[in-house]
Amino acid sequence: MKLVRYGEAGSERPGMVGADGKIRDLSAHVADVAGAALAPQSLAELARIDPATLPPVDGSPRLGPCVSGTGKLICIGLNYSDHAAETGATVPPEPIIFMKATSAIVGPNDDLLIPRGSEKTDWEVELGIIIGKQAKYVSEAEALDCVAGYCIVHDVSERAFQTERSGQWTKGKSCDTFGPTGPWLVTKDEIPDPQNLKMWLTVNGEFMQDGSTKTMVFGASYLVSYLSQFMSLQPGDIISTGTPPGVGMGMKPPRYLKAGDVVELGIEGLGSQRQQVRADG
C-alpha cells in the first residue's frame, strides 16, 4: 500500500495510490497520514479498501511530505561502508546519531533552497524508516513490528556548516528544505527486504549515486532497536538511515549544488523525487 499527502503546503490531504498510479482521496477514512493512522490496526483497515472505490484526485497535485506530525527526524551518519571509505572515515563501532530539524521537511518535489552563505550544499539519497507505533527498549527481533513503512529521504547537507564550523552536525543538516520526504509511505508488507534496495541520484541527468541498501553497516531492524534503547520512537518519527557513495564531498575535486541544478533521486519500490535548486532569499 502506498500512502500519500497531496495539496498545498500546510493543507495536504491524505491519499492512496492505486495500481494504476492514480491518487485517490482517503479523507473519508483518515484525517491525515499521521499518528494513530500509522498504527498496525489502522493500516490493516486501510489495506482492505479497494482504491477504485475512493474518489479520484484530478490532475497532478503537489505532493507533500508522505507523513505528517513527525516529532523526530533522526539521521544515521557513515552507515554505508563504501560511503565511509570515499570520505576517508572509519566505519563506526556504533551508529552515529544526529538530528535534522523537522522544519527542514518538505515535499519530494519542492524546491531545494541553498541557504545564505552556503558554498558546499551536498546531496544524499537515503532510505527512511517511518515509525507506526511506539518503540521503547524493543529487541531487534521485534523492531520491525513498530515500523509503518519506508520512504525516500533526501538528506541534504551543507558541508561547511556541518564540519568546518564549531559544534555538531545539526546546523549543516537542518536548513529549510533540507529534508525532502516521499513521495509515498510504502507499507512494510510491500518491502519484504529493506536491505536489498537499489538507490540512485542524479544531478542535471548525471549519475552521482548508484548504490544499494545491501552495503548498510547497521540495518533497519538494528537501528530501530538501537535507537529505542536511548529514546522512545513515536508514530510519525522518521529514521534516515545513511547514504551510499557518490556524494559531492567525496569527489576529487569536490562538487556541490548551485542554483539552477536539478536533482533527481529514487529507491527501488519507493518511487522518486525531483528538486529544482535555487538560492534562498
Side-chain angles (χ1 to χ4, degrees), residues 63-230:
L63 297 182
C66 60
V67 64
S68 183
T70 297
K72 297 189 289 294
L73 176 46
I74 308 166
C75 300
I76 309 299
L78 299 176
N79 195 30
Y80 282 69
S81 55
D82 38 8
H83 170 56
E86 77 169 342
T87 62
T90 302
V91 173
E94 293 188 41
I96 294 174
I97 302 169
F98 62 93
M99 297 290 195
K100 184 186 284 276
T102 55
S103 55
I105 298 173
V106 291
N109 304 316
D110 290 345
D111 287 349
L112 195 167
L113 304 180
I114 295 180
R116 290 182 183 177
S118 168
E119 296 181 353
K120 297 182 179 181
T121 295
D122 204 350
W123 54 83
E124 296 187 27
V125 58
E126 304 200 358
L127 172 68
I129 303 169
I130 299 173
I131 300 299
K133 70 174 184 179
Q134 178 175 282
K136 185 173 183 178
Y137 302 132
V138 297
S139 68
E140 190 171 352
E142 63 188 350
L144 295 188
D145 294 340
C146 301
V147 171
Y150 304 94
C151 68
I152 301 169
V153 176
H154 188 184
D155 177 22
V156 186
S157 309
E158 211 301 334
R159 301 302 189 186
F161 296 178
Q162 177 189 356
T163 63
E164 297 174 21
R165 300 178 67 169
S166 63
Q168 298 178 336
W169 289 4
T170 302
K171 63 180 174 289
K173 296 284 190 170
S174 295
C175 304
D176 290 352
T177 75
F178 272 25
T181 303
W184 316 312
L185 183 165
V186 181
T187 50
K188 63 186 176 185
D189 58 292
E190 291 200 16
I191 308 294
D193 185 3
Q195 306 311 142
N196 188 24
L197 302 175
K198 295 179 181 178
M199 52 205 311
W200 56 271
L201 181 145
T202 67
V203 178
N204 302 326
E206 180 182 354
F207 271 92
M208 301 297 178
Q209 294 186 273
D210 184 10
S212 170
T213 57
K214 284 182 178 179
T215 64
M216 283 173 65
V217 178
F218 304 106
S221 58
Y222 182 90
L223 290 173
V224 172
S225 173
Y226 181 84
L227 291 169
S228 79
Q229 309 307 310
F230 305 101

Side-chain angles (χ1 to χ4, degrees), residues 25-50:
D25 185 72
L26 263 181
S27 298
H29 298 272
V30 291
D32 204 347
V33 183
L38 302 172
Q41 182 178 351
S42 176
L43 291 178
E45 292 173 359
L46 293 178
R48 287 193 284 270
I49 299 172
D50 180 356

